[in-house]
Amino acid sequence: IEDLTFQDNCIEVLIRRSKTDQTSQGRTIAIPIIGGVACPFTALRVWLSSNQKASGYLFSAYRTAAGGNAHLSVRQVSRIMATRAKQCGLANDGYSSHGLRAGFITSAHDLGLDLIWATKQSGHRSLRTAQRYARPDPTDVTCRIVQRLARDQ
């Protein structure tokens, strides 16, 4: 939570380490306010106020033996996505945490956003790598989940 900074028009998130940053140089990304039912800014504000968390991991997976909290693993995120997809009535195929990253690039492409910006935002090492993820397909997994959730609101 300490790595989040709320601005007037976005949330700045410090990514301390990632698959493409094994030396922990870190980078900051901005998540803009987009409005509507899928707005991450609003969802994060609600999440933080309902959980009354002031520090630590944003999404804690479990309590450790020492009494602290551990972060969600990639595998746990994939399981959560599969469960939510099933709850939305979608077939349980192809849902993974990796799909979020690919879905972001696809959505950016579909919206006509600058792919160079999207590549920096997603942390892909190169534009060429990110372009492989641009799958303009309305049946894409991420697209179907967002459409279903928006319809149910």
Side-chain angles (χ1 to χ4, degrees), residues 46-59:
V46 169
W47 172 259
L48 289 171
S49 65
S50 67
N51 288 288
Q52 300 177 346
K53 292 180 74 166
S55 64
Y57 293 113
L58 181 59
F59 304 110

Side-chain angles (χ1 to χ4, degrees), residues 62-128:
Y62 56 89
R63 283 213 158 306
T64 64
N69 289 325
H71 63 84
L72 287 173
S73 70
V74 171
R75 182 174 291 138
Q76 289 166 320
V77 171
S78 292
R79 285 184 191 140
I80 291 167
M81 288 183 63
T83 300
R84 296 296 183 218
K86 186 176 179 181
Q87 290 172 341
C88 288
L90 301 171
N92 189 10
D93 58 341
Y95 302 101
S96 69
S97 55
H98 184 264
L100 292 172
R101 195 171 184 214
F104 172 76
I105 293 295
T106 297
S107 295
H109 176 272
D110 289 350
L111 292 170
L113 299 176
D114 180 34
L115 202 51
I116 294 171
W117 170 84
T119 300
K120 289 179 182 176
Q121 190 81 345
S122 68
H124 284 93
R125 290 184 193 170
S126 71
L127 182 59
R128 184 180 193 110

